[in-house]
Amino acid sequence: MATAVPAEQDAVARSLPGALPHGTRPPGALPRDPGAGFDLVVVGVGPGSAGARTAAALTAAALAGDPYRLVVSAGIGGGFAPDAPVGSLVVADAITAADLGAETADGFLPVTDLGFGTVTHRPPETLVRDLTAASGARRGTVLTVSTVTGTADRAALLRARHPGALAEAMEGFGVAEAAAAAGLPVVEIRAVSNPVGPRDRAAWRIADALAALTGGFGKFAPVLGSWKPYDL
C-alpha cells in the first residue's frame, strides 16, 4: 500500500491492483480509478492527525482481509537551502521527529535520550534508491515538526542537529509511526514550496510545488507499483 497526497496534507494509497471491496474503503478515502492500484486518504495537518487517520485506514483494510503493503506519506514542505530549493523533490531516507523530546538546561534531548520511544523511521533503501533514480529527486532526512520553522536561527539549529536534513513538514513521522505499528514499510516524498527559515508567505510557491509533486508521481508510480516488500 502507499500513502500519497497531491497537497500539503498526506494520504494513504494501495500498491495493489483493483479497489477495496465495497464498503471497506478507508475513512476519508477519495474517489479513484478502480484500476489505479492505490487508495488516497487525506490525513490532515500535523503528526497527531496524520498518525490517527493513517492507523484508521490501515486497520480498516486489515479487518477487511485486504491489507496494505506499503505506506507513502506525500505532500509539500519547506526545504533547507541551498540543498533543497523551491520546486525540488525530496525522498526521505530517514523520517525524523525533530521536536519530540525535552528541553533541558543543557539544550534539547530527543525522546530516545530519555530512555524510550523512537525519533527516526528509515524507509526501505531499495525503494528510496529506485524512486530517486527514476525521478532525479534528492534524498535525505525529512524532519517532522509540530511547529513550522519561522526564523533563521531555528533553521540553523535544526540543520546543526540534523546535518542530513533536506526538508521539513508536519506529517511524515505520524504516518511512519502508524505504519510501523502495523508492521508496514513507509516512505516519505516532499515537494519543496518554500525555504525553511524566516516566515515569508510572499515567497511560498505552493502551486509550483504541487506541479512538481504531480509530475514526480508520474515517475514514482511505476516504481511504487512494482516494488515488493521483500525488496527491503
Side-chain angles (χ1 to χ4, degrees):
M1 126 184 191
T3 290
V5 76
E8 57 182 63
Q9 299 177 347
D10 293 305
V12 185
R14 168 181 306 274
S15 61
L16 295 171
L20 283 169
H22 177 71
T24 63
R25 299 195 64 233
L30 302 178
R32 67 173 173 85
D33 249 340
F38 61 85
D39 288 320
L40 179 65
V41 180
V42 175
V43 298
V45 176
S49 177
R53 295 190 186 186
T54 299
L58 299 180
T59 300
L63 290 175
D66 194 13
Y68 292 112
R69 293 181 180 176
L70 172 68
V71 178
V72 180
S73 174
I76 65 176
F80 287 94
D83 300 312
V86 172
S88 63
L89 293 170
V90 175
V91 176
D93 56 17
I95 303 168
T96 297
D99 51 14
L100 181 61
E103 290 291 348
T104 74
D106 297 319
F108 176 79
L109 289 178
V111 71
T112 47
D113 286 5
L114 302 176
F116 53 91
T118 185
V119 293
T120 295
H121 293 280
R122 296 196 177 276
E125 167 62 27
T126 56
L127 183 55
V128 173
R129 179 198 67 203
D130 293 348
L131 288 171
T132 54
S135 64
R138 294 156 169 81
R139 62 178 289 168
T141 301
V142 176
L143 302 179
T144 298
V145 295
S146 295
T147 301
V148 173
T149 299
T151 67
D153 287 347
R154 175 64 176 170
L157 181 62
L158 287 176
R159 200 68 187 278
R161 288 179 185 161
H162 307 281
L166 290 186
E168 119 179 337
M170 301 182 75
E171 292 78 32
F173 187 78
V175 172
E177 285 278 270
L184 293 171
V186 63
V187 68
E188 182 173 10
I189 298 167
R190 292 285 160 182
V192 176
S193 60
N194 57 277
V196 177
R199 188 172 174 81
D200 177 11
R201 297 196 66 163
W204 293 2
R205 296 292 181 266
I206 292 177
D208 292 344
L210 293 178
L213 188 63
T214 300
F217 264 91
K219 300 173 182 177
F220 294 142
V223 177
L224 293 171
S226 63
W227 186 82
K228 301 294 189 298
Y230 52 76
D231 289 338
L232 294 172

